[in-house]
Amino acid sequence: MTMNSQQVQRFVLTYLEATGCSVIERTPNHVTVKLSPEADKALTNRPYYWGYVERTGVPAQTMSFTFIFDGEAYRTAQESSMDNMSSTKNTSIPPSQAQPGQGPQQAPVSGSPAQDQVMGRYFGHVPALPQLGPGRILQEELRYGSRRLHQIFEAARDGGKYVNLFEQPNAHQLSAHSPAMYEAWLGVCYKIEFACDLKREELHWLGISLKSGTIVPDFGSMLQSRLLSPLLAGNMHVQPAKLSVPEASTSLENYLNVQLSQQDYEWAEQARERLREELEVIDHYYDDLVKEQKEEEEKKEAVQEQHQARRKEMVWQYEPKVLVSAINCGIFHLR
């Protein structure tokens, strides 16, 4: 799996919007944002600073980042902008005021190739760090596989594991005389792995009503057409639940077990047959190896230990298994 620059940009912008970051500047090639406290805690690794803020109650100062999605296009745009500024500056100074023998000078830039070569000469390889842009804004280029993008993936996954959302009513309901009632649903996205020396994965998005106990197999499709928000809308009330969350979770697990019991497990029989063949080859190889070590007991014991370790490795690799895990879940209040 991979992501192109457009997909990376959409994902990052969705994360920044969901966490309440303030956009300072945005182009097709980059975005400059001031992080929200939630995003700052997840991305900047400043636990001592945030501990100080929480203890003292001082206003938090979050960091700002420029995330670059297309490095080549961004640098080209920056160079063009600098050339335009330089051209404007040169035309605004009369030639009579220019000092003879003096041309434009440029101060060394931190992180430039020349400076990196000097540092590398004395300190060895210097790892790439976020660059400091104008206004003390950190600059980082995001591409699939980069450390910062992986960090955003982890933050999004941790922040989205458990949600509590409400369906937003239409304008007619907000102005109605009688309030509408929400029905609470527990939704869980399960990942099922059918694993042996091969692997196949399935996602099952199940939902159960905490009022009636009704189970919906494709709960994700049920949510797609609904506008959800973490805020409880006006003129809406939540119905009391008859099922607790542990009871509803047990019902979903029982339902999933029934579905798994109806699967075709021919693949598991084939995997066991491949395992049997592999173990026969290994046993035959090590039996001959042990016979060669008739007089040297220490070598024979070492070969036998290696034999058992190899068998365990083959069993771990080929033995068919079904693994079930919950990726994320939430309580969804639907009309």
Side-chain angles (χ1 to χ4, degrees), residues 57-69:
V58 299
Q61 297 296 326
T62 60
M63 299 181 67
S64 297
F65 275 86
T66 293
F67 294 121
I68 303 170
F69 306 110

Side-chain angles (χ1 to χ4, degrees), residues 3 8 68-69 71 75 141-147 149-150:
M3 297 173 67
V8 169
I68 303 170
F69 306 110
R75 286 186 288 272
E141 187 170 343
L142 299 183
R143 61 172 64 90
Y144 187 75
S146 64
R147 181 190 64 84
L149 184 60
H150 177 74

Side-chain angles (χ1 to χ4, degrees), residues 157 160-162 187-190 205 325-330:
R157 186 183 66 178
K161 282 184 177 179
Y162 312 101
V188 184
C189 184
Y190 293 99
W205 193 205
S325 58
I327 298 179
N328 48 36
C329 63

Side-chain angles (χ1 to χ4, degrees), residues 74-214:
Y74 175 78
R75 286 186 288 272
T76 301
Q78 292 295 306
E79 291 173 0
S80 176
S81 177
M82 293 297 293
D83 290 342
N84 292 336
M85 292 177 60
S86 176
S87 174
T88 304
K89 185 175 181 180
N90 290 336
T91 56
S92 63
I93 301 177
S96 59
Q97 297 182 10
Q99 297 294 327
Q102 291 186 355
Q105 297 181 358
Q106 183 176 3
V109 180
S110 175
S112 63
Q115 184 175 359
D116 290 342
Q117 291 178 4
V118 174
M119 294 182 66
R121 187 182 307 164
Y122 293 99
F123 301 104
H125 173 68
V126 180
L129 295 175
Q131 298 180 0
L132 196 62
R136 302 186 61 83
I137 297 177
L138 294 176
Q139 294 182 352
E140 285 204 48
E141 187 170 343
L142 299 183
R143 61 172 64 90
Y144 187 75
S146 64
R147 181 190 64 84
R148 182 68 70 183
L149 184 60
H150 177 74
Q151 189 181 32
I152 295 176
F153 284 155
E154 293 292 326
R157 186 183 66 178
D158 293 340
K161 282 184 177 179
Y162 312 101
V163 296
N164 186 26
L165 299 176
F166 299 86
E167 181 180 359
Q168 296 303 289
N170 52 36
H172 176 72
Q173 177 57 47
L174 290 175
S175 60
H177 295 290
S178 59
M181 302 297 290
Y182 277 122
E183 181 179 359
W185 291 73
L186 171 65
V188 184
C189 184
Y190 293 99
K191 181 175 75 171
I192 302 177
E193 300 177 57
F194 301 94
C196 51
D197 55 320
L198 305 174
K199 180 184 285 189
R200 178 168 61 91
E201 296 181 349
E202 294 179 358
L203 294 179
H204 290 253
W205 193 205
L206 304 180
I208 180 172
S209 170
L210 299 184
K211 176 186 175 184
S212 63
T214 302

Side-chain angles (χ1 to χ4, degrees), residues 226-262:
R226 301 170 186 259
L227 180 61
L228 302 174
S229 169
L231 301 177
L232 175 63
N235 205 24
M236 301 291 292
H237 291 280
V238 179
Q239 291 180 337
K242 295 182 180 179
L243 289 177
S244 66
V245 172
E247 291 173 339
S249 177
T250 301
S251 296
L252 290 180
E253 292 173 3
N254 292 337
Y255 175 86
L256 196 58
N257 286 331
V258 172
Q259 298 300 310
L260 291 175
S261 66
Q262 298 173 358

Side-chain angles (χ1 to χ4, degrees), residues 39-55:
D40 192 287
K41 292 177 183 178
L43 301 180
T44 61
N45 192 25
R46 300 193 295 166
Y48 295 109
Y49 171 74
W50 283 105
Y52 164 77
V53 170
E54 292 169 358
R55 288 193 308 270

